[in-house]
Amino acid sequence: MKTIKEPKVGVIMGSKSDWDVMKNTCDTLKSFNIKFDARVISAHRTPKRLEKFIKEAERSNYEVIIAAAGGAAHLAGVAASLTTIPVLGVPMLSVTKGIDSLLSTVQMPAGIPVPTLAIGKAGAINSALFAITILGRKYPEILKKLKKYRSNFEKKIPQKPY
Ligand code: RP5
């Protein structure tokens, strides 16, 4: 895609085991020709890696970071605390069907917001679409694609349920 400046999205996840779901985020970004950098980074297992990644993201002017984690999911919150780049949270399925992940991602005390998507695959896809929506405010080519995606989406929905 030709743009004046190529936007880049960071996609981080707490474990390799999150990839099956987070692949949907990357596939959605790919379908819009958005460049991304996907990495396994855990707030508690690899905190130094997280700090290093955030510094790189700032240096490289990433415009959105998508952070997925499951269980006591603090990756998105910690990432958001280290940067002013918008961080979107995606709760992963877990032993409590993702309710723990959802609450620990979304329930940020006032001060550091983490806009949080749905649990699992729907959230993974929507995190990419929301990142695209943010980018669309700045990049007309991306907005155009998003509008096309929306209208195609509508065409796929049948008028009648039978
Ligand atoms: C979280 O713990 C990860 O994001 C993952 O969803 C969950 C389980 O991780 P593994 O034990 O599969 O590595 O940190």
Side-chain angles (χ1 to χ4, degrees):
M1 173 189 296
K2 279 186 190 147
T3 45
I4 298 158
K5 195 183 122 218
E6 290 257 327
K8 200 161 178 186
V9 175
V11 181
I12 58 177
M13 60 209 81
S15 170
K16 196 172 179 337
S17 66
D18 298 323
W19 176 243
D20 272 357
V21 172
M22 292 311 292
K23 192 178 174 300
N24 293 287
T25 302
C26 297
D27 288 344
T28 307
L29 291 170
K30 260 189 223 162
S31 70
F32 280 80
N33 281 337
I34 308 285
K35 285 193 172 172
F36 60 88
D37 176 13
R39 304 217 203 149
V40 174
I41 297 179
S42 160
H44 59 279
R45 288 167 174 162
T46 67
K48 289 189 191 120
R49 206 185 282 184
L50 177 59
E51 262 190 79
K52 192 164 169 261
F53 169 79
I54 294 292
K55 280 185 190 142
E56 279 172 32
E58 295 207 329
R59 260 199 309 274
S60 312
N61 294 314
Y62 286 15
E63 302 202 30
V64 185
I65 293 171
I66 295 168
H74 34 248
L75 180 61
V78 179
S81 77
L82 294 170
T83 184
T84 51
I85 299 170
V87 176
L88 310 179
V90 186
M92 296 289 93
L93 277 163
S94 65
V95 288
T96 68
K97 297 189 175 170
I99 297 298
D100 46 1
S101 324
L102 172 66
L103 292 177
S104 44
T105 303
V106 77
Q107 286 288 53
M108 289 296 289
I112 305 289
V114 174
T116 302
L117 288 303
I119 298 165
K121 185 176 173 184
I125 293 169
N126 280 345
S127 68
L129 290 172
F130 196 66
I132 287 159
T133 305
I134 293 170
L135 295 172
R137 306 319 301 166
K138 186 167 162 191
Y139 300 94
E141 299 94 327
I142 295 175
L143 181 61
K144 205 170 142 196
K145 277 196 148 196
L146 180 61
K147 286 187 172 167
K148 193 166 170 228
Y149 168 86
R150 290 277 186 100
S151 79
N152 286 342
F153 194 68
E154 189 164 345
K155 278 179 211 149
K156 282 186 209 153
I157 309 299
Q159 301 268 3
K160 293 192 175 179
Y162 51 87

